[in-house]
C-alpha cells in the first residue's frame, strides 16, 4: 500500500518541527527518513501513524485520506526506539495482543504468533518476559507484534538506535531480508546514513523540519541536491575551491599535472581505511581517504611533502553554491 | 566489622524500643486474661457496631480514593496544565495537616448550623457532620495522598510509549487502560490501596471532631478503644487494640507480598 504525504506541517508551541514536507512511498518499498537528531523526521513518522495531529497537510495510505483518523484505525504497525514492550506480558502475549483485541479464534492466534516468532527468530523465547530479553530481541519482538495485525504499512522510529554497533549491523541486514519476505510498505526513521543507504530503496533527507532531497541512495550520494545532503551522506572536503569526496582524491609523492602540494599533518587509521589530513601550501586544510594498503605503498609519515590530485574527482561546487537553508 | 554490628544493633534497637516492644506489650496484656475473655470485651453490641462502622466507612473511602487517586495520578502524569503544582500540593496536604484540623475544616464546611453549605444540605435532609457521610469524608481526606503517591511515579516511569503502541495495534481508550495501563500500575496501586486502608482504620483525630462519638451510632472503632481507656478499663482497651493490631498485621503481610511481586516486573 502506498503512502503519500502532502505539505505536512507541525509546530510545538513556538518551535516549528515540520514545515511543508511532501513525498510518496511506493507500495512495497522501503523509505528511510534520514537527518540529524531533532530535525523533525520522527514527527513526520508519528503524523503518518496518527500519533501526532498535523497542523496542515494530508496523509494518504493506499489513496485513502487518513489525516483525521485515529492511530488505531489506520492499519499501521509501529515500532518505537525503546521498543515499548508490554512488560507484564510474555513475548507470546505481546505478539498476540493485536489479534486478541480483535477477538480472532484461538487456533488462528496460536498459529499466527508461532509463525511470527519463527520469522523474527524468537521461537524459543515465547514464554520470556521483555525484561528477560536483550535489546535486539525486544526490538524483534516489537516488530513481530506490529506485523501480527497485518498492517498496511510498517513504521519504524529509530528501531536500532538504542542498540550497540554490532547488533545494529546484524539487524539492519536482517530487516532488509525481512522486508523482501514480507514486502510491506515501510518507513524507517534513522540518523545513521549508512543504515539508510544499506536498507532503503529511497531516502528522504530531512533537516530542520524541511525536506532536502528524495531519491535512491545512489542518487542522493552522487547527485546531492544541497551542500547539506552532500556532507551528511558521506565524507566531503574542499580543494581548489571545489567540493569533492575524499576517496576520489589521489595522493602521490611526485608532482602531477594539476596536483596541489601540501604537508601531511595527521594520519588516522580506521581499519580498512586511512584518513590522511593535509595542509596545502596555500594554507587550506583538506583530507584524503585511502583504502587498504595504499598508505603502506606510499610509506607516508607526518610532515611528508605530498601532492594531492583531483583528476578523478567529481566537483560538487555547483551543488554547494545552490541555496540551502 | 564491629562498626557494621554496631550499626545493626542501633537500627534494631531504635525500631525495637520505639515500635516493636510496645506493640508486643499490648498483645501480651490483651491476651493475659485469655483470648476468649479479651474477645468478650470487644464482642459487645457497641464494639461490633463500631467495628462495622469503621470497616464500612473505610470500604467506601478506599473505593473513592482508588478511583479518584488513579484519575488524579493519570492527569498529573500525562498532562501539563497550569495549576498542576497546586493540585499536587493539595494532594500532599493531608500528610502534613493535623487530622484535628481536617476534622475542624470539614465541620466548618458541612456542619448543619455554621457550615458554609451544611445548612443547604440539612434543608435537603442530608446530615454530614456527626453522621456516616462525615466519617467517610474524614476517612477519604486523611488517606487521599497514598494512592496518588504510589501510582504517580509508576506512571511517570512507564511513559506513554506502550500505550501508544497498543493504540497502533487497534486498541481503543478502554482497552488501553484496562489491558496496558492498569496491569502496569497494579502493584503500585495495590500498595497504595493497602496504605490507604491502614491509614483509615487507625484514624482517630479527625473522627473525634466529626463523628460525634455516639455509642452504637457514630462511634468508630478507635474511639471505642479510646473510650475503654478513659473509662479505666485498660483490659478492654488492650483487647480492642489487639483487633486493630491484627488487622494491621494482615495488611502488613499483604504489603510485603505486594512489594516482592511488584519488583519482579520492574
Amino acid at each position: 500500500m502506498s503512502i503519500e504525504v502532502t505539505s505536512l506541517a507541525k509546530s510545538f508551541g513556538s518551535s516549528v518541527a515540520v514545515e511543508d514536507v511532501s513525498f510518496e512511498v511506493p507500495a512495497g518499498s522501503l523509505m528511510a527518513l534520514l537527518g540529524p537528531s531533532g530535525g523533525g523526521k520522527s514527527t513526520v513518522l508519528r503524523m503518518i501513524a496518527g500519533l501526532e495531529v498535523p497542523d496542515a497537510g494530508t496523509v494518504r495510505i493506499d489513496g485513502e485520506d487518513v489525516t483525521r483518523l485515529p492511530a488505531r484505525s489506520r492499519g499501521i504497525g509501529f515500532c518505537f526506539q525503546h521498543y515499548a514492550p508490554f512488560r507484564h506480558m510474555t513475548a507470546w502475549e505481546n505478539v498476540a495482543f493485536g489479534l486478541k483485541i480483535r477477538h480472532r479464534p484461538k487456533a488462528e492466534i496460536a498459529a499466527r504468533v508461532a509463525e511470527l516468532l519463527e520469522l523474527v527468530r524468537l521461537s524459543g523465547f515465547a514464554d520470556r518476559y521483555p525484561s528477560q530479553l536483550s535489546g535486539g530481541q525486544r526490538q524483534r519482538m516489537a516488530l513481530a507484534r506490529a506485523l501480527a495485525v497485518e498492517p498496511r504499512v510498517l513504521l519504524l522510529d529509530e528501531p536500532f538506535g538504542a542498540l550497540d554497533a554490532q547488533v545494529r549491523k546484524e539487524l539492519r541486514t536482517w530487516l532488509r531480508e525481512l522486508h523482501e519476505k514480507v514486502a510491506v510498505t515501510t518507513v524507517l526513521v534513522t540518523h545513521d546514513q549508512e543504515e539508510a543507504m544499506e536498507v532503503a530503496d529511497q531516502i528522504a533527507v530531512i533537516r530542520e523540519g524541511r525536506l532536502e532531497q528524495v531519491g535512491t541512495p545512489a542518487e542522493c550520494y552522487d547527485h546531492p541536491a544541497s551542500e547539506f545532503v552532500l556532507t551528511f551522506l558521506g565524507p566531503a572536503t574542499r580543494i581548489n575551491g571545489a567540493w569533492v569526496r575524499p576517496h576520489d582524491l589521489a595522493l602521490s609523492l611526485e608532482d602531477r599535472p594539476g596536483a596541489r602540494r601540501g604537508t601531511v599533518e595527521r594520519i588516522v587509521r580506521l581499519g580498512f581505511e586511512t584518513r590522511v589530513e593535509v595542509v596545502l601550501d596555500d594554507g587550506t586544510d583538506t583530507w584524503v581517504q585511502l583504502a587498504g594498503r595504499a598508505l603502506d605503498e606510499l610509506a607516508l609519515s607526518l610532515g611528508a611533502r605530498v601532492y594531492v590530485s583531483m583528476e578523478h574527482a567529481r566537483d560538487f561546487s555547483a551543488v554547494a553554491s545552490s541555496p540551502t537553508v | 566489622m564491629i562498626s557494621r554490628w554496631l550499626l545493626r544493633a542501633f537500627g534494631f534497637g531504635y525500631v525495637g524500643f520505639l515500635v516493636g516492644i510496645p506493640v508486643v506489650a499490648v498483645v501480651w496484656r490483651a491476651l493475659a486474661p485469655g483470648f476468649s475473655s479479651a474477645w468478650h470485651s470487644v464482642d459487645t453490641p457497641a464494639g461490633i457496631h463500631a467495628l462495622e462502622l469503621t470497616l464500612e466507612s473505610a470500604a467506601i473511602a478506599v473505593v473513592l480514593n482508588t478511583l479518584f487517586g488513579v484519575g488524579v495520578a493519570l492527569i498529573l502524569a500525562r498532562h501539563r496544565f497550569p495549576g498542576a503544582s497546586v493540585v499536587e500540593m493539595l494532594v500532599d496536604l493531608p500528610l502534613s495537616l493535623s487530622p484535628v484540623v481536617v476534622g475542624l475544616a470539614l465541620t466548618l464546611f458541612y456542619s448543619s448550623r455554621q457550615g458554609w453549605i451544611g445548612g443547604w444540605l440539612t434543608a435537603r435532609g442530608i446530615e454530614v457532620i456527626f453522621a456516616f457521610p462525615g466519617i467517610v469524608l474524614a476517612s477519604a481526606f486523611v488517606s487521599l495522598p497514598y494512592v496518588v503517591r504510589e501510582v504517580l511515579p509508576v506512571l511517570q516511569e512507564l511513559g506513554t510509549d506502550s500505550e501508544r503502541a497498543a493504540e497502533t495495534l487497534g486498541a481503543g481508550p478502554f482497552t488501553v487502560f484496562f489491558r496496558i495501563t492498569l496491569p502496569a500500575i497494579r502493584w503500585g496501586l495495590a500498595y497504595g490501596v493497602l496504605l490507604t486502608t491502614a491509614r483509615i482504620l487507625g484514624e482517630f483525630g479527625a473522627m473525634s471532631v466529626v463523628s460525634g462519638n455516639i455509642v452504637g451510632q457514630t462511634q468508630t472503632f478507635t474511639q471505642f478503644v479510646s473510650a475503654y481507656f478513659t473509662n479505666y478499663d485498660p483490659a478492654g482497651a488492650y483487647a480492642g487494640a489487639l483487633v486493630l493490631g491484627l488487622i494491621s498485621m494482615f495488611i502488613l503481610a499483604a504489603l510485603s507480598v505486594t512489594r516482592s511481586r511488584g519488583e519482579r516486573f520492574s
Side-chain angles (χ1 to χ4, degrees):
Chain A
M1 313 284 167
S2 66
I3 302 171
E4 198 187 330
V5 305
T6 318
S7 311
L8 274 190
K10 177 77 181 173
S11 300
F12 296 105
S14 59
S15 71
V16 178
V18 174
E19 215 179 340
D20 193 25
V21 166
S22 307
F23 59 80
E24 202 185 330
V25 188
S29 72
L30 200 160
M31 162 85 85
L33 304 183
L34 175 69
S37 302
K41 53 198 190 307
S42 281
T43 308
V44 171
L45 192 78
R46 292 174 72 89
M47 287 193 282
I48 298 174
L51 296 174
E52 300 285 357
V53 182
D55 297 337
T58 55
V59 177
R60 287 171 189 280
I61 295 176
D62 195 23
E64 178 200 353
D65 186 346
V66 299
T67 319
R68 301 285 144 203
L69 228 51
R72 65 172 182 277
S73 317
R74 291 194 183 190
I76 52 154
F78 197 100
C79 286
F80 295 77
Q81 179 176 2
H82 298 287
Y83 331 122
F86 303 146
R87 279 184 268 183
H88 59 285
M89 297 182 197
T90 61
W92 194 96
E93 290 166 329
N94 264 275
V95 177
F97 181 83
L99 301 168
K100 272 191 182 166
I101 62 173
R102 282 172 174 71
H103 306 292
R104 296 280 175 79
K106 275 195 176 143
E108 185 196 320
I109 295 178
R112 179 102 181 104
V113 173
E115 178 194 330
L116 280 159
L117 286 175
E118 174 81 41
L119 184 72
V120 300
R121 297 191 232 137
L122 284 177
S123 296
F125 298 87
D127 295 329
R128 297 268 188 106
Y129 283 92
S131 60
Q132 299 165 313
L133 298 174
S134 72
Q137 290 170 334
R138 279 184 221 180
Q139 194 56 288
R140 296 202 316 259
M141 177 193 86
L143 257 164
R145 183 176 73 181
L147 288 171
V149 296
E150 287 170 358
R152 297 196 284 178
V153 300
L154 186 61
L155 308 170
L156 313 171
D157 190 1
E158 300 260 10
F160 312 133
L163 301 168
D164 53 52
Q166 195 58 39
V167 182
R168 277 182 86 101
K169 284 200 173 165
E170 280 170 31
L171 279 189
R172 209 191 270 170
T173 315
W174 172 80
L175 178 67
R176 187 65 233 185
E177 288 167 17
L178 180 81
H179 184 257
E180 258 132 49
K181 254 186 253 173
V182 183
V184 56
T185 313
T186 303
V187 182
L188 166 101
V189 161
T190 180
H191 60 260
D192 180 341
Q193 100 284 351
E194 207 180 299
E195 187 168 294
M197 308 258 287
E198 180 177 336
V199 169
D201 299 310
Q202 287 212 79
I203 296 178
V205 183
I206 294 176
R207 180 179 68 142
E208 288 172 9
R210 292 184 154 275
L211 194 64
E212 294 265 328
Q213 185 171 9
V214 183
T216 65
E219 275 164 18
C220 293
Y221 193 84
D222 293 333
H223 307 282
S226 66
E227 187 179 321
F228 174 78
V229 176
L230 169 74
T231 53
F232 196 79
L233 279 192
T237 186
R238 302 202 73 147
I239 183 167
N240 263 2
W243 268 114
V244 294
R245 297 277 185 212
H247 50 70
D248 289 341
L249 293 174
L251 206 59
S252 63
L253 297 172
E254 298 89 39
D255 200 359
R256 288 191 198 177
R260 310 273 304 204
R261 202 161 183 225
T263 311
V264 174
E265 196 176 63
R266 196 158 171 256
I267 299 172
V268 186
R269 286 174 168 276
L270 296 165
F272 68 96
E273 62 154 325
T274 304
R275 208 184 139 105
V276 181
E277 295 180 14
V278 178
V279 183
L280 299 178
D281 287 353
D282 65 7
T284 56
D285 293 325
T286 190
W287 63 283
V288 181
Q289 197 173 21
L290 297 177
R293 316 218 63 85
L295 183 79
D296 299 338
E297 283 157 20
L298 284 167
L300 280 186
S301 58
L302 290 186
R305 302 288 286 158
V306 290
Y307 293 89
V308 181
S309 87
M310 47 181 289
E311 54 186 320
H312 302 296
R314 226 172 75 82
D315 180 10
F316 291 99
S317 307
V319 169
S321 59
S322 73
T324 60
V325 185
Chain B
M1 199 53 196
I2 290 171
S3 69
R4 193 195 296 171
W5 280 106
L6 265 177
L7 213 61
R8 279 186 202 175
F10 183 76
F12 274 109
Y14 184 71
V15 177
F17 275 97
L18 201 63
V19 182
I21 299 173
V23 169
V24 169
V26 166
V27 176
W28 190 263
R29 280 296 297 273
L31 291 177
F35 184 80
S36 65
S37 146
W39 175 243
H40 276 304
S41 353
V42 177
D43 187 19
T44 62
I48 294 301
H49 185 273
L51 192 59
E52 282 173 356
L53 178 65
T54 293
L55 291 177
E56 280 167 18
S57 58
I60 296 173
V62 165
V63 169
L64 284 176
N65 274 350
T66 302
L67 296 179
F68 285 98
V70 170
V72 169
L74 273 172
I75 290 167
L76 288 175
R78 299 281 187 257
H79 304 279
R80 287 278 124 238
F81 60 95
S85 58
V86 176
V87 173
E88 264 195 82
M89 210 182 67
L90 286 176
V91 165
D92 285 340
L93 191 65
L95 288 175
S96 56
L97 202 61
S98 163
V100 175
V101 180
V102 173
L104 289 172
L106 289 175
T107 305
L108 195 60
F109 194 61
Y110 291 107
S111 144
S112 56
R113 293 209 293 127
Q114 76 255 30
W116 291 0
I117 65 162
W120 186 86
L121 286 172
T122 307
R124 277 146 195 84
I126 303 166
E127 286 294 338
V128 176
I129 302 302
F130 302 150
F132 187 68
I135 296 169
V136 172
L137 279 179
S139 304
F141 193 138
V142 297
S143 63
L144 173 67
Y146 298 99
V147 167
V148 182
R149 281 291 150 210
E150 289 299 323
V151 170
L152 186 57
V154 182
L155 280 175
Q156 282 166 337
E157 204 266 329
L158 176 71
T160 53
D161 274 3
S162 55
E163 293 172 0
R164 294 292 83 80
E167 245 175 74
T168 63
L169 292 169
F174 283 97
T175 311
V176 171
F177 180 76
F178 286 105
R179 299 254 195 155
I180 306 298
T181 316
L182 196 56
I185 63 172
R186 61 186 162 178
W187 298 116
L189 181 61
Y191 204 79
V193 167
L194 288 168
L195 283 177
T196 305
T197 312
R199 178 72 184 81
I200 292 173
L201 293 181
E203 179 50 33
F204 181 73
M207 296 307 169
S208 62
V209 180
V210 300
S211 86
N213 199 9
I214 303 163
V215 176
Q217 287 181 41
T218 64
Q219 188 180 52
T220 66
F221 199 69
T222 48
Q223 288 175 316
F224 171 76
V225 173
S226 168
Y228 261 127
F229 197 75
T230 46
N231 293 334
Y232 305 105
D233 184 357
Y238 294 135
L242 182 65
V243 172
L244 277 175
L246 285 175
I247 298 176
S248 309
M249 244 134 83
F250 179 75
I251 293 175
L252 205 66
L255 279 176
S256 70
V257 170
T258 308
R259 191 157 36 191
S260 62
R261 280 296 199 79
E263 275 160 10
R264 264 203 5 223
F265 293 99
S266 55

